[in-house]
Amino acid sequence: MVKRLAAAVAVALMVPISGATIAHAQPASARIDHVERVGDRQTKLFVHSPAMNRIVQVQVLHPAWEGARPSLYLLDGVSAGEESEFRESTWTQRTDIEEFFADKNTNVVLPVGGTASYYTDWNTPDPVLGVNKWETFLTEELPPLIDAEFGGNGVNAVAGLSMGATGAMSLITRNPDLYQGVAALSGCYDTSSDSSRDTVRGTVAYKGGNPDNMWGPPEDGRWEEHDSYLLAERLRGKEVFLSTGNGLLGPHDLGAGQDVLTVGAPLELGTFVCTVTYDRRLRELGIPARVVYRPWGTHSWGYWQDDIKAAWPTLEDALGLR
């Protein structure tokens, strides 16, 4: 009776008994719930993510022609499209990337959602921001679907702005085998130093989340595990682009509101300091990078529209397109 009970418990827990190993159940695969065709160059996928147990919208810009091609994963800022009535990527709302990428032989993958998530896997669900397992979604669940649905050839790069810049750099340094290059616009990358960690935590709190639910309290080792400054060696052999303004008003700020002065200017000054710090780290390691320091510019979309175009030659090299 005892042996039968032990066997039943072992089967229920999927653990070895009597020297034999019982296989663990495989995690469920992500699947496409439904598709909306926007035109011959844009498709909206609605993907069920087992990791987050919900449907995630993903916009894909793609060539009109058939054939294998690489994929660029392009991440949003802190709001992650939540301000849109139609819940779309802010990239497609606020920039001309649809036109810019229309003649480029690459898929541009735009996840929608992830407000203040930093596109990472959180330790625990958050009462306000919900379940965030974005690293799992973006690196394990989504790429096979993109490759199968849009002719992906397995070559990938990742880019993002602000929060998405921090997320993009974290993704490539934690998953260097998946991405061949990165473009990070107006971000901070040393997430375990006191000042930058406080900035990240403040960003989460700004959107109502509890920062401890992401990587734990400030002293938790997971902050260092996601620190792209500490992991910078993993960028060796990758194509790297960084850009930042310095908070001074520039051509895209003319006629802008007061929030540019009170929020956009100091935020971009902060990313300037972060970019200088990371640039120095890459130089110390002898890792080549293209770094653009604009002579002006606040934390705003006009500059990021310019910067993604400036980043394109670097991303083009990463994607094997030239």
Side-chain angles (χ1 to χ4, degrees):
M1 177 67 180
V2 172
K3 289 183 178 180
R4 288 199 299 270
L5 179 59
V9 171
V11 170
L13 296 176
M14 304 300 281
V15 299
I17 61 170
S18 302
T21 300
I22 299 176
H24 287 271
Q26 293 298 312
S29 298
R31 58 177 173 80
I32 297 174
D33 183 80
H34 64 283
V35 176
E36 293 181 7
R37 303 291 181 186
V38 179
D40 62 353
R41 290 188 177 89
Q42 184 177 165
T43 301
K44 293 181 181 179
L45 298 183
F46 294 83
V47 178
H48 179 263
S49 164
M52 293 191 278
N53 194 29
R54 68 171 184 267
I55 303 296
V56 179
Q57 182 190 160
V58 180
Q59 290 174 252
V60 184
L61 310 180
H62 50 81
W65 56 86
E66 300 292 330
R69 50 188 174 261
S71 300
L72 169 62
Y73 289 76
L74 188 54
L75 307 182
D76 227 323
V78 63
S79 296
E82 71 170 0
E83 70 274 24
S84 166
E85 177 184 356
F86 303 104
R87 292 287 293 166
E88 295 183 350
S89 167
T90 318
W91 277 104
T92 57
Q93 298 172 63
R94 302 290 297 275
T95 75
D96 62 359
I97 64 165
E98 293 180 56
E99 292 78 10
F100 178 72
F101 282 105
D103 62 348
K104 310 293 190 292
N105 190 30
T106 184
N107 302 316
V108 181
V109 183
L110 302 149
V112 179
T115 299
S117 70
Y118 281 89
Y119 296 104
T120 189
D121 283 4
W122 286 40
N123 287 357
T124 58
D126 187 85
V128 174
L129 299 178
V131 175
N132 288 297
K133 295 291 183 181
W134 286 95
E135 182 173 350
T136 296
F137 178 71
L138 292 170
T139 64
E140 298 177 22
E141 295 179 342
L142 185 59
L145 298 179
I146 295 296
D147 288 353
E149 191 77 7
F150 299 99
N153 63 7
V155 177
N156 305 293
V158 62
L161 64 99
S162 191
M163 178 194 82
T166 306
M169 197 63 76
S170 177
L171 287 172
I172 191 173
T173 53
R174 287 174 54 80
N175 303 274
D177 292 339
L178 181 61
Y179 305 107
Q180 297 306 307
V182 61
L185 320 179
S186 301
C188 283
Y189 314 106
D190 53 337
T191 55
S192 63
S193 69
D194 289 344
S195 60
S196 58
R197 184 185 58 227
D198 290 346
T199 298
V200 171
R201 291 176 62 84
T203 300
V204 173
Y206 166 67
K207 287 297 185 179
N210 181 347
D212 286 353
N213 290 330
M214 187 165 71
W215 298 326
E219 65 276 9
D220 195 297
R222 273 179 52 84
W223 286 88
E224 292 189 354
E225 292 173 9
H226 292 81
D227 190 328
S228 300
Y229 185 92
L230 299 178
L231 301 177
E233 174 62 36
R234 297 182 182 181
L235 292 175
R236 193 171 301 280
K238 307 297 184 184
E239 300 292 337
V240 180
F241 177 94
L242 302 171
S243 67
T244 183
N246 54 23
L248 296 177
L249 298 186
H252 291 303
D253 300 305
L254 299 177
Q258 181 65 23
D259 62 329
V260 170
L261 293 173
T262 58
V263 179
L267 280 177
E268 197 68 5
L269 178 59
T271 69
F272 173 82
V273 174
C274 290
T275 302
V276 169
T277 300
Y278 205 68
D279 185 8
R280 287 175 178 167
R281 177 60 174 161
L282 295 179
R283 290 173 185 271
E284 289 172 0
L285 295 172
I287 296 175
R290 184 182 177 204
V291 186
V292 173
Y293 294 103
R294 287 185 268 103
W296 50 63
T298 58
H299 209 68
S300 52
W301 278 97
Y303 300 105
W304 298 324
Q305 175 173 275
D306 293 343
D307 287 353
I308 195 63
K309 295 173 183 176
W312 176 241
T314 302
L315 294 170
E316 196 175 20
D317 285 342
L319 294 169
L321 293 175
R322 69 170 188 168

